[in-house]
Amino acid sequence: MPPGPIPDRPAGEIILTPAGSRTALSARFGEAYGSRHGAAAQARHVFVEGTGTHRHPAPRVLEVGFGLGVNFRATLAEVVRRGVPLDYLAYEFDPAPAEVLRAVGEGGEGAEHPAWAALLKGWGQASPLLVQVPGATLTVHFTDVREADLPHGWASALYLDGFSPARNPEVWTPALAARLARALAPGGLLATYSAAGHVRRTLAGAGLKVEKRPGPPGKRECLRAVREA
């Protein structure tokens, strides 16, 4: 499917980014789901590599803001490359139509995996959506993460990928940050594309050790935070 508008939907115009990856515009928040400078590059650099998931022997990933599944597909491609198992838990309160996920993923990394096909088949129906295929388990809750019962001490990696704090402040609050910190296993890493000062302070206030990293294409910096104990 070529890039173009999908009218009257929560996700609208599909955007072709450098190197051929795609994202889409959110009609609700008025900004793109992923970086216009390279959605796939952002997924790999900020989230997969930023949390050390590309080296973990059996990653357990918790994602806030599943969006169009770009981070999931990047993670899936990485674990397949290394032949390690993946357990992926995500929360998405406003699912985009399956045809948008399909169009954004077409031809991209991870799009040929049976887990992605199963996700598209069940997307936006019963909650939670559970996908189990050899080597990968995915659970997506179509609910507000602020009201969800998050696991404690479970995640080796946490992808904090809501829309920007200016557009979606509810997922950047101290209360949610404290709950996300508890969801991390000791030594677990949280990553986000944001480098805003108040985001750094919020994560530090939740007991995480926060550091800046070089950002992906088009962004100077991003953040990584670790639960030390």
Side-chain angles (χ1 to χ4, degrees):
M1 178 182 294
I6 295 180
D8 303 322
R9 297 290 190 175
E13 178 189 1
I14 294 177
I15 301 162
L16 183 64
T17 73
S21 64
R22 297 182 178 99
T23 186
L25 185 69
S26 166
R28 178 186 292 270
F29 293 104
E31 66 183 26
Y33 282 84
S35 172
R36 293 171 179 264
H37 297 276
Q42 175 178 277
R44 287 191 302 271
H45 176 80
V46 174
F47 297 107
V48 179
E49 297 174 6
T51 59
T53 295
H54 63 311
R55 294 190 298 265
H56 198 284
R60 298 183 306 277
V61 177
L62 191 160
E63 180 170 32
V64 176
F66 188 85
L68 304 179
V70 177
N71 296 335
F72 172 66
R73 288 190 293 103
T75 307
L76 190 62
E78 176 58 34
V79 298
V80 167
R81 184 185 69 80
R82 294 191 294 125
V84 301
L86 172 65
D87 198 348
Y88 202 103
L89 171 63
Y91 296 86
E92 176 56 58
F93 87 101
D94 187 28
E99 62 262 31
V100 177
L101 274 71
R102 182 177 291 106
V104 167
E106 186 177 5
E109 59 182 358
E112 301 303 318
H113 196 281
W116 184 246
L119 176 142
L120 292 175
K121 184 177 180 180
W123 183 254
Q125 299 176 23
S127 180
L129 168 62
L130 178 62
V131 172
Q132 290 180 304
V133 299
T137 297
L138 166 68
T139 307
V140 184
H141 292 272
F142 299 111
T143 188
D144 189 332
V145 69
R146 295 174 300 167
E147 300 170 0
D149 184 15
L150 301 181
H152 283 198
W154 177 81
S156 65
L158 200 154
Y159 300 172
L160 180 51
D161 196 22
F163 289 98
S164 68
R167 300 291 181 121
N168 188 26
E170 291 85 358
V171 299
W172 305 91
T173 64
L176 182 56
R179 296 180 63 222
L180 296 178
R182 290 194 295 270
L184 283 168
L189 288 160
L190 178 152
T192 181
Y193 63 85
S194 178
H198 73 90
V199 173
R200 295 198 309 272
R201 292 188 293 274
T202 295
L203 295 176
L208 302 176
K209 182 178 180 181
V210 186
E211 66 175 2
K212 294 180 182 179
R213 298 178 60 231
K219 190 165 180 59
R220 187 165 62 90
E221 294 175 327
C222 59
L223 296 180
R224 169 167 56 201
V226 62
R227 176 182 172 181
E228 294 185 302

mmCIF file of all heavy atoms in Angstrom, residues 54-94:
data_model
loop_
_atom_site.group_PDB
_atom_site.id
_atom_site.type_symbol
_atom_site.label_atom_id
_atom_site.label_comp_id
_atom_site.label_asym_id
_atom_site.label_seq_id
_atom_site.Cartn_x
_atom_site.Cartn_y
_atom_site.Cartn_z
ATOM 1 N N HIS A 54 18.891 -5.728 22.721
ATOM 2 C CA HIS A 54 19.629 -6.378 21.629
ATOM 3 C C HIS A 54 20.722 -7.317 22.141
ATOM 4 O O HIS A 54 21.334 -8.038 21.350
ATOM 5 C CB HIS A 54 20.240 -5.326 20.706
ATOM 6 C CG HIS A 54 21.261 -4.445 21.340
ATOM 7 N ND1 HIS A 54 21.071 -3.796 22.540
ATOM 8 C CD2 HIS A 54 22.513 -4.098 20.941
ATOM 9 C CE1 HIS A 54 22.139 -3.093 22.847
ATOM 10 N NE2 HIS A 54 23.024 -3.259 21.891
ATOM 11 N N ARG A 55 20.964 -7.319 23.471
ATOM 12 C CA ARG A 55 21.960 -8.223 24.056
ATOM 13 C C ARG A 55 21.364 -9.182 25.081
ATOM 14 O O ARG A 55 22.035 -10.101 25.527
ATOM 15 C CB ARG A 55 23.077 -7.417 24.720
ATOM 16 C CG ARG A 55 23.921 -6.594 23.772
ATOM 17 C CD ARG A 55 25.135 -6.029 24.482
ATOM 18 N NE ARG A 55 24.749 -5.125 25.570
ATOM 19 C CZ ARG A 55 24.666 -3.809 25.454
ATOM 20 N NH1 ARG A 55 24.945 -3.223 24.289
ATOM 21 N NH2 ARG A 55 24.310 -3.059 26.490
ATOM 22 N N HIS A 56 20.130 -8.980 25.477
ATOM 23 C CA HIS A 56 19.540 -9.756 26.576
ATOM 24 C C HIS A 56 19.234 -11.179 26.109
ATOM 25 O O HIS A 56 18.711 -11.387 25.017
ATOM 26 C CB HIS A 56 18.255 -9.082 27.065
ATOM 27 C CG HIS A 56 17.825 -9.522 28.414
ATOM 28 N ND1 HIS A 56 17.214 -10.739 28.629
ATOM 29 C CD2 HIS A 56 17.923 -8.923 29.638
ATOM 30 C CE1 HIS A 56 16.946 -10.867 29.916
ATOM 31 N NE2 HIS A 56 17.366 -9.780 30.550
ATOM 32 N N PRO A 57 19.520 -12.186 26.939
ATOM 33 C CA PRO A 57 19.308 -13.578 26.518
ATOM 34 C C PRO A 57 17.847 -13.998 26.463
ATOM 35 O O PRO A 57 17.522 -14.980 25.792
ATOM 36 C CB PRO A 57 20.064 -14.384 27.577
ATOM 37 C CG PRO A 57 20.094 -13.503 28.786
ATOM 38 C CD PRO A 57 20.217 -12.109 28.251
ATOM 39 N N ALA A 58 16.962 -13.284 27.148
ATOM 40 C CA ALA A 58 15.530 -13.620 27.131
ATOM 41 C C ALA A 58 14.738 -12.375 27.537
ATOM 42 O O ALA A 58 14.201 -12.299 28.652
ATOM 43 C CB ALA A 58 15.225 -14.780 28.070
ATOM 44 N N PRO A 59 14.649 -11.379 26.663
ATOM 45 C CA PRO A 59 14.062 -10.103 27.059
ATOM 46 C C PRO A 59 12.577 -10.196 27.405
ATOM 47 O O PRO A 59 11.817 -10.926 26.769
ATOM 48 C CB PRO A 59 14.286 -9.211 25.836
ATOM 49 C CG PRO A 59 14.555 -10.131 24.706
ATOM 50 C CD PRO A 59 15.173 -11.343 25.295
ATOM 51 N N ARG A 60 12.218 -9.441 28.434
ATOM 52 C CA ARG A 60 10.823 -9.243 28.841
ATOM 53 C C ARG A 60 10.558 -7.740 28.726
ATOM 54 O O ARG A 60 11.042 -6.951 29.540
ATOM 55 C CB ARG A 60 10.593 -9.732 30.268
ATOM 56 C CG ARG A 60 10.843 -11.220 30.457
ATOM 57 C CD ARG A 60 10.530 -11.677 31.888
ATOM 58 N NE ARG A 60 11.256 -10.881 32.881
ATOM 59 C CZ ARG A 60 12.507 -11.100 33.257
ATOM 60 N NH1 ARG A 60 13.204 -12.103 32.715
ATOM 61 N NH2 ARG A 60 13.082 -10.342 34.174
ATOM 62 N N VAL A 61 9.801 -7.377 27.720
ATOM 63 C CA VAL A 61 9.603 -5.967 27.384
ATOM 64 C C VAL A 61 8.204 -5.520 27.772
ATOM 65 O O VAL A 61 7.214 -6.192 27.454
ATOM 66 C CB VAL A 61 9.812 -5.727 25.873
ATOM 67 C CG1 VAL A 61 9.537 -4.272 25.506
ATOM 68 C CG2 VAL A 61 11.220 -6.132 25.453
ATOM 69 N N LEU A 62 8.123 -4.386 28.455
ATOM 70 C CA LEU A 62 6.852 -3.731 28.745
ATOM 71 C C LEU A 62 6.830 -2.424 27.963
ATOM 72 O O LEU A 62 7.752 -1.611 28.098
ATOM 73 C CB LEU A 62 6.707 -3.483 30.242
ATOM 74 C CG LEU A 62 5.341 -3.050 30.769
ATOM 75 C CD1 LEU A 62 5.240 -3.326 32.270
ATOM 76 C CD2 LEU A 62 5.032 -1.584 30.512
ATOM 77 N N GLU A 63 5.783 -2.232 27.165
ATOM 78 C CA GLU A 63 5.696 -1.005 26.359
ATOM 79 C C GLU A 63 4.464 -0.204 26.731
ATOM 80 O O GLU A 63 3.348 -0.724 26.781
ATOM 81 C CB GLU A 63 5.657 -1.320 24.869
ATOM 82 C CG GLU A 63 5.574 -0.044 24.025
ATOM 83 C CD GLU A 63 5.767 -0.264 22.543
ATOM 84 O OE1 GLU A 63 5.380 -1.334 22.040
ATOM 85 O OE2 GLU A 63 6.308 0.646 21.889
ATOM 86 N N VAL A 64 4.674 1.078 26.963
ATOM 87 C CA VAL A 64 3.587 2.027 27.193
ATOM 88 C C VAL A 64 3.387 2.806 25.899
ATOM 89 O O VAL A 64 4.219 3.630 25.519
ATOM 90 C CB VAL A 64 3.921 2.985 28.354
ATOM 91 C CG1 VAL A 64 2.814 4.027 28.517
ATOM 92 C CG2 VAL A 64 4.121 2.210 29.646
ATOM 93 N N GLY A 65 2.293 2.500 25.210
ATOM 94 C CA GLY A 65 2.014 3.127 23.932
ATOM 95 C C GLY A 65 2.450 2.240 22.777
ATOM 96 O O GLY A 65 3.463 2.518 22.132
ATOM 97 N N PHE A 66 1.707 1.162 22.516
ATOM 98 C CA PHE A 66 2.087 0.241 21.443
ATOM 99 C C PHE A 66 2.039 0.922 20.081
ATOM 100 O O PHE A 66 2.808 0.591 19.182
ATOM 101 C CB PHE A 66 1.159 -0.976 21.461
ATOM 102 C CG PHE A 66 1.563 -2.071 20.522
ATOM 103 C CD1 PHE A 66 2.486 -3.022 20.906
ATOM 104 C CD2 PHE A 66 1.013 -2.158 19.249
ATOM 105 C CE1 PHE A 66 2.864 -4.048 20.042
ATOM 106 C CE2 PHE A 66 1.371 -3.175 18.380
ATOM 107 C CZ PHE A 66 2.307 -4.117 18.774
ATOM 108 N N GLY A 67 1.134 1.872 19.927
ATOM 109 C CA GLY A 67 1.072 2.651 18.689
ATOM 110 C C GLY A 67 0.841 1.792 17.465
ATOM 111 O O GLY A 67 -0.123 1.032 17.379
ATOM 112 N N LEU A 68 1.760 1.889 16.504
ATOM 113 C CA LEU A 68 1.651 1.169 15.241
ATOM 114 C C LEU A 68 2.521 -0.082 15.211
ATOM 115 O O LEU A 68 2.690 -0.698 14.161
ATOM 116 C CB LEU A 68 2.026 2.107 14.087
ATOM 117 C CG LEU A 68 1.220 3.402 14.022
ATOM 118 C CD1 LEU A 68 1.688 4.261 12.873
ATOM 119 C CD2 LEU A 68 -0.276 3.123 13.918
ATOM 120 N N GLY A 69 3.096 -0.451 16.360
ATOM 121 C CA GLY A 69 3.856 -1.691 16.453
ATOM 122 C C GLY A 69 5.270 -1.630 15.915
ATOM 123 O O GLY A 69 5.911 -2.667 15.758
ATOM 124 N N VAL A 70 5.784 -0.434 15.658
ATOM 125 C CA VAL A 70 7.129 -0.323 15.088
ATOM 126 C C VAL A 70 8.174 -0.826 16.074
ATOM 127 O O VAL A 70 9.116 -1.542 15.691
ATOM 128 C CB VAL A 70 7.412 1.127 14.656
ATOM 129 C CG1 VAL A 70 8.836 1.270 14.131
ATOM 130 C CG2 VAL A 70 6.414 1.573 13.582
ATOM 131 N N ASN A 71 8.026 -0.481 17.346
ATOM 132 C CA ASN A 71 8.995 -0.954 18.347
ATOM 133 C C ASN A 71 8.915 -2.468 18.517
ATOM 134 O O ASN A 71 9.940 -3.136 18.689
ATOM 135 C CB ASN A 71 8.746 -0.274 19.693
ATOM 136 C CG ASN A 71 8.966 1.215 19.648
ATOM 137 O OD1 ASN A 71 9.714 1.727 18.822
ATOM 138 N ND2 ASN A 71 8.292 1.930 20.539
ATOM 139 N N PHE A 72 7.698 -2.999 18.483
ATOM 140 C CA PHE A 72 7.543 -4.447 18.593
ATOM 141 C C PHE A 72 8.211 -5.154 17.425
ATOM 142 O O PHE A 72 8.943 -6.133 17.608
ATOM 143 C CB PHE A 72 6.069 -4.822 18.671
ATOM 144 C CG PHE A 72 5.824 -6.298 18.586
ATOM 145 C CD1 PHE A 72 6.260 -7.146 19.597
ATOM 146 C CD2 PHE A 72 5.178 -6.857 17.490
ATOM 147 C CE1 PHE A 72 6.051 -8.525 19.523
ATOM 148 C CE2 PHE A 72 4.964 -8.221 17.410
ATOM 149 C CZ PHE A 72 5.399 -9.061 18.432
ATOM 150 N N ARG A 73 7.994 -4.686 16.212
ATOM 151 C CA ARG A 73 8.592 -5.339 15.052
ATOM 152 C C ARG A 73 10.118 -5.256 15.090
ATOM 153 O O ARG A 73 10.810 -6.217 14.742
ATOM 154 C CB ARG A 73 8.051 -4.737 13.755
ATOM 155 C CG ARG A 73 6.605 -5.132 13.477
ATOM 156 C CD ARG A 73 6.157 -4.738 12.077
ATOM 157 N NE ARG A 73 6.083 -3.315 11.884
ATOM 158 C CZ ARG A 73 6.975 -2.583 11.229
ATOM 159 N NH1 ARG A 73 8.054 -3.142 10.697
ATOM 160 N NH2 ARG A 73 6.803 -1.271 11.089
ATOM 161 N N ALA A 74 10.651 -4.110 15.539
ATOM 162 C CA ALA A 74 12.107 -3.978 15.650
ATOM 163 C C ALA A 74 12.661 -4.950 16.680
ATOM 164 O O ALA A 74 13.716 -5.569 16.477
ATOM 165 C CB ALA A 74 12.479 -2.546 16.018
ATOM 166 N N THR A 75 11.943 -5.117 17.783
ATOM 167 C CA THR A 75 12.364 -6.048 18.829
ATOM 168 C C THR A 75 12.260 -7.475 18.338
ATOM 169 O O THR A 75 13.154 -8.309 18.569
ATOM 170 C CB THR A 75 11.507 -5.845 20.083
ATOM 171 O OG1 THR A 75 11.534 -4.464 20.475
ATOM 172 C CG2 THR A 75 12.004 -6.701 21.231
ATOM 173 N N LEU A 76 11.181 -7.779 17.656
ATOM 174 C CA LEU A 76 10.968 -9.115 17.115
ATOM 175 C C LEU A 76 12.078 -9.494 16.135
ATOM 176 O O LEU A 76 12.627 -10.604 16.188
ATOM 177 C CB LEU A 76 9.608 -9.152 16.429
ATOM 178 C CG LEU A 76 9.056 -10.498 15.979
ATOM 179 C CD1 LEU A 76 8.854 -11.425 17.170
ATOM 180 C CD2 LEU A 76 7.745 -10.285 15.234
ATOM 181 N N ALA A 77 12.415 -8.570 15.248
ATOM 182 C CA ALA A 77 13.486 -8.845 14.281
ATOM 183 C C ALA A 77 14.805 -9.123 14.980
ATOM 184 O O ALA A 77 15.582 -9.987 14.558
ATOM 185 C CB ALA A 77 13.627 -7.669 13.318
ATOM 186 N N GLU A 78 15.058 -8.414 16.071
ATOM 187 C CA GLU A 78 16.316 -8.589 16.795
ATOM 188 C C GLU A 78 16.386 -9.940 17.491
ATOM 189 O O GLU A 78 17.414 -10.633 17.438
ATOM 190 C CB GLU A 78 16.497 -7.459 17.807
ATOM 191 C CG GLU A 78 17.720 -7.584 18.697
ATOM 192 C CD GLU A 78 19.017 -7.667 17.923
ATOM 193 O OE1 GLU A 78 19.123 -7.021 16.846
ATOM 194 O OE2 GLU A 78 19.936 -8.378 18.383
ATOM 195 N N VAL A 79 15.305 -10.353 18.147
ATOM 196 C CA VAL A 79 15.366 -11.647 18.844
ATOM 197 C C VAL A 79 15.418 -12.800 17.843
ATOM 198 O O VAL A 79 16.064 -13.827 18.109
ATOM 199 C CB VAL A 79 14.194 -11.827 19.839
ATOM 200 C CG1 VAL A 79 14.251 -10.762 20.920
ATOM 201 C CG2 VAL A 79 12.844 -11.842 19.143
ATOM 202 N N VAL A 80 14.768 -12.651 16.708
ATOM 203 C CA VAL A 80 14.851 -13.681 15.671
ATOM 204 C C VAL A 80 16.285 -13.799 15.162
ATOM 205 O O VAL A 80 16.806 -14.899 14.953
ATOM 206 C CB VAL A 80 13.876 -13.370 14.517
ATOM 207 C CG1 VAL A 80 14.164 -14.245 13.305
ATOM 208 C CG2 VAL A 80 12.439 -13.563 14.972
ATOM 209 N N ARG A 81 16.929 -12.658 14.970
ATOM 210 C CA ARG A 81 18.317 -12.667 14.488
ATOM 211 C C ARG A 81 19.221 -13.428 15.437
ATOM 212 O O ARG A 81 20.116 -14.163 15.002
ATOM 213 C CB ARG A 81 18.811 -11.224 14.332
ATOM 214 C CG ARG A 81 20.222 -11.107 13.750
ATOM 215 C CD ARG A 81 20.700 -9.672 13.746
ATOM 216 N NE ARG A 81 20.940 -9.162 15.086
ATOM 217 C CZ ARG A 81 22.027 -9.401 15.793
ATOM 218 N NH1 ARG A 81 22.988 -10.185 15.302
ATOM 219 N NH2 ARG A 81 22.170 -8.888 17.002
ATOM 220 N N ARG A 82 18.985 -13.304 16.736
ATOM 221 C CA ARG A 82 19.847 -13.941 17.726
ATOM 222 C C ARG A 82 19.331 -15.301 18.183
ATOM 223 O O ARG A 82 20.024 -16.013 18.901
ATOM 224 C CB ARG A 82 20.009 -13.025 18.934
ATOM 225 C CG ARG A 82 20.744 -11.738 18.635
ATOM 226 C CD ARG A 82 21.101 -10.993 19.899
ATOM 227 N NE ARG A 82 19.930 -10.507 20.617
ATOM 228 C CZ ARG A 82 19.654 -10.780 21.887
ATOM 229 N NH1 ARG A 82 20.457 -11.551 22.601
ATOM 230 N NH2 ARG A 82 18.563 -10.284 22.464
ATOM 231 N N GLY A 83 18.087 -15.633 17.842
ATOM 232 C CA GLY A 83 17.533 -16.915 18.248
ATOM 233 C C GLY A 83 17.224 -17.013 19.726
ATOM 234 O O GLY A 83 17.411 -18.063 20.342
ATOM 235 N N VAL A 84 16.724 -15.900 20.327
ATOM 236 C CA VAL A 84 16.381 -15.904 21.749
ATOM 237 C C VAL A 84 14.879 -15.666 21.900
ATOM 238 O O VAL A 84 14.240 -15.089 21.015
ATOM 239 C CB VAL A 84 17.180 -14.842 22.535
ATOM 240 C CG1 VAL A 84 18.672 -15.098 22.399
ATOM 241 C CG2 VAL A 84 16.834 -13.434 22.073
ATOM 242 N N PRO A 85 14.280 -16.096 23.034
ATOM 243 C CA PRO A 85 12.844 -15.922 23.224
ATOM 244 C C PRO A 85 12.491 -14.502 23.648
ATOM 245 O O PRO A 85 13.300 -13.796 24.261
ATOM 246 C CB PRO A 85 12.515 -16.920 24.338
ATOM 247 C CG PRO A 85 13.792 -17.017 25.125
ATOM 248 C CD PRO A 85 14.905 -16.878 24.127
ATOM 249 N N LEU A 86 11.248 -14.105 23.347
ATOM 250 C CA LEU A 86 10.760 -12.766 23.663
ATOM 251 C C LEU A 86 9.409 -12.868 24.358
ATOM 252 O O LEU A 86 8.518 -13.590 23.898
ATOM 253 C CB LEU A 86 10.607 -11.941 22.381
ATOM 254 C CG LEU A 86 9.914 -10.573 22.515
ATOM 255 C CD1 LEU A 86 10.747 -9.622 23.370
ATOM 256 C CD2 LEU A 86 9.640 -9.972 21.135
ATOM 257 N N ASP A 87 9.261 -12.129 25.455
ATOM 258 C CA ASP A 87 7.962 -11.957 26.112
ATOM 259 C C ASP A 87 7.677 -10.460 26.118
ATOM 260 O O ASP A 87 8.454 -9.677 26.692
ATOM 261 C CB ASP A 87 8.014 -12.513 27.544
ATOM 262 C CG ASP A 87 6.632 -12.761 28.121
ATOM 263 O OD1 ASP A 87 5.639 -12.308 27.532
ATOM 264 O OD2 ASP A 87 6.543 -13.429 29.171
ATOM 265 N N TYR A 88 6.590 -10.055 25.481
ATOM 266 C CA TYR A 88 6.322 -8.634 25.220
ATOM 267 C C TYR A 88 4.924 -8.297 25.727
ATOM 268 O O TYR A 88 3.941 -8.929 25.340
ATOM 269 C CB TYR A 88 6.401 -8.390 23.716
ATOM 270 C CG TYR A 88 6.670 -6.967 23.270
ATOM 271 C CD1 TYR A 88 7.938 -6.606 22.831
ATOM 272 C CD2 TYR A 88 5.661 -6.018 23.235
ATOM 273 C CE1 TYR A 88 8.196 -5.314 22.380
ATOM 274 C CE2 TYR A 88 5.911 -4.724 22.785
ATOM 275 C CZ TYR A 88 7.179 -4.380 22.357
ATOM 276 O OH TYR A 88 7.441 -3.105 21.911
ATOM 277 N N LEU A 89 4.848 -7.295 26.595
ATOM 278 C CA LEU A 89 3.597 -6.867 27.214
ATOM 279 C C LEU A 89 3.405 -5.389 26.893
ATOM 280 O O LEU A 89 4.288 -4.571 27.172
ATOM 281 C CB LEU A 89 3.670 -7.077 28.725
ATOM 282 C CG LEU A 89 2.550 -6.512 29.586
ATOM 283 C CD1 LEU A 89 1.217 -7.169 29.250
ATOM 284 C CD2 LEU A 89 2.881 -6.687 31.069
ATOM 285 N N ALA A 90 2.250 -5.040 26.315
ATOM 286 C CA ALA A 90 2.039 -3.659 25.879
ATOM 287 C C ALA A 90 0.656 -3.168 26.274
ATOM 288 O O ALA A 90 -0.288 -3.953 26.448
ATOM 289 C CB ALA A 90 2.219 -3.552 24.365
ATOM 290 N N TYR A 91 0.552 -1.841 26.381
ATOM 291 C CA TYR A 91 -0.700 -1.175 26.727
ATOM 292 C C TYR A 91 -0.992 -0.115 25.680
ATOM 293 O O TYR A 91 -0.137 0.734 25.374
ATOM 294 C CB TYR A 91 -0.611 -0.542 28.119
ATOM 295 C CG TYR A 91 -0.438 -1.577 29.195
ATOM 296 C CD1 TYR A 91 0.825 -2.053 29.534
ATOM 297 C CD2 TYR A 91 -1.540 -2.122 29.851
ATOM 298 C CE1 TYR A 91 0.984 -3.030 30.503
ATOM 299 C CE2 TYR A 91 -1.383 -3.104 30.821
ATOM 300 C CZ TYR A 91 -0.121 -3.551 31.139
ATOM 301 O OH TYR A 91 0.044 -4.521 32.090
ATOM 302 N N GLU A 92 -2.205 -0.159 25.115
ATOM 303 C CA GLU A 92 -2.615 0.785 24.087
ATOM 304 C C GLU A 92 -4.087 1.133 24.294
ATOM 305 O O GLU A 92 -4.955 0.280 24.127
ATOM 306 C CB GLU A 92 -2.407 0.195 22.689
ATOM 307 C CG GLU A 92 -2.882 1.069 21.559
ATOM 308 C CD GLU A 92 -2.254 2.452 21.584
ATOM 309 O OE1 GLU A 92 -1.010 2.537 21.533
ATOM 310 O OE2 GLU A 92 -3.015 3.441 21.668
ATOM 311 N N PHE A 93 -4.364 2.381 24.671
ATOM 312 C CA PHE A 93 -5.743 2.729 25.004
ATOM 313 C C PHE A 93 -6.550 3.195 23.794
ATOM 314 O O PHE A 93 -7.779 3.231 23.842
ATOM 315 C CB PHE A 93 -5.769 3.808 26.102
ATOM 316 C CG PHE A 93 -5.691 5.221 25.590
ATOM 317 C CD1 PHE A 93 -6.833 6.006 25.499
ATOM 318 C CD2 PHE A 93 -4.481 5.766 25.192
ATOM 319 C CE1 PHE A 93 -6.771 7.307 25.029
ATOM 320 C CE2 PHE A 93 -4.407 7.059 24.729
ATOM 321 C CZ PHE A 93 -5.562 7.837 24.642
ATOM 322 N N ASP A 94 -5.879 3.536 22.690
ATOM 323 C CA ASP A 94 -6.563 4.097 21.522
ATOM 324 C C ASP A 94 -6.027 3.425 20.256
ATOM 325 O O ASP A 94 -5.295 4.028 19.483
ATOM 326 C CB ASP A 94 -6.326 5.608 21.471
ATOM 327 C CG ASP A 94 -7.135 6.288 20.383
ATOM 328 O OD1 ASP A 94 -8.210 5.771 20.029
ATOM 329 O OD2 ASP A 94 -6.685 7.337 19.882
#
